[in-house]
Amino acid sequence: MSIPAIEDDGSLLRALDGRTVAILGYGNQGEAHALNLRDSGVTVIVGARAGGGAEARAVAAGFRTISIPDASADADLAIVALPDEVHGEVVRDVIAPHLRHGAVLGFLHGFSIRFGRVVPPAGAGVVMVAPKGPGTTLRDRFVRGLGIPCLFAVHQETDGSAERLGLAWASGIGCGRARILRSTFADEAET
């Protein structure tokens, strides 16, 4: 069985020109995604809890940090980089009420959507970019001009922007240097 790959000739990233990406959470994956996207020329803000360790690390790395609700409201692409166990409550109560209509909600893997922990808000695109390695490896390979493969899926589309912004995200973190593989939230979560 052949897994369909998406070629990245360098043009995928352009979909994020003039757009804002909010990284919601600044742990192992969130930090790598934020740094790689910024180094790719993307405008990145970090949504973090005021006074927390994640906020301090993001500020030390030179990011503008604001509350998760405010970051969600400012984002064209809001990437949920928080622990799985809080996705349902935080997306429902803190992120979704603040997303602009047509914004895209991004996940780092398929679990929360596949198993119904998150019910995507109507009017928002929902995508997944799931690098096949830890954030430290994603960052290390990016800095060396390399990448790691990722799985990519669109769960909910609005006007075509979910796919475009999701692929730009995958490109911006360096996965297009290795391989972007089309998948589903269910396949990623179950494998």
Side-chain angles (χ1 to χ4, degrees):
M1 175 175 150
S2 171
I3 298 175
I6 299 164
E7 295 299 320
D8 184 2
D9 63 3
S11 65
L12 293 177
L13 186 61
R14 288 190 210 129
L16 285 172
D17 287 352
R19 307 280 189 126
T20 298
V21 174
I23 304 293
L24 308 176
Y26 197 75
N28 180 280
Q29 284 286 341
E31 179 178 14
H33 287 246
L35 291 167
N36 291 4
L37 285 166
R38 181 178 66 190
D39 289 355
S40 293
V42 176
T43 300
V44 176
I45 57 176
V46 173
R49 215 179 38 230
E55 180 191 44
R57 288 191 316 278
V59 167
F63 287 103
R64 174 178 163 232
T65 62
I66 57 178
S67 72
I68 290 176
D70 289 344
S72 300
D74 288 352
D76 296 293
L77 170 61
I79 299 170
V80 181
L82 299 162
D84 289 336
E85 60 269 17
V86 302
H87 282 190
E89 180 181 344
V90 173
V91 171
R92 182 187 65 238
D93 298 340
V94 181
I95 298 170
H98 302 280
L99 284 176
R100 292 190 309 251
H101 183 80
V104 176
L105 191 58
F107 290 89
L108 303 174
H109 51 83
F111 182 87
S112 292
I113 296 291
R114 166 62 182 95
F115 294 106
R117 301 283 175 96
V118 169
V119 176
V126 179
V127 298
M128 175 189 71
V129 172
K132 298 292 88 190
T136 52
T137 303
L138 181 68
R139 180 63 180 159
D140 177 66
R141 297 258 178 96
F142 181 90
V143 169
R144 293 190 293 141
L146 304 169
I148 61 175
C150 73
L151 298 180
F152 171 76
V154 177
H155 176 75
Q156 186 169 291
E157 187 60 83
T158 52
D159 59 1
S161 65
E163 176 146 333
R164 287 191 311 274
L165 294 184
L167 288 172
W169 166 23
S171 178
I173 62 172
C175 292
R177 299 171 180 176
R179 183 75 77 189
I180 302 170
L181 301 169
R182 193 172 294 279
S183 186
T184 67
F185 279 69
D187 284 349
E188 193 282 334
E190 293 169 13
T191 57

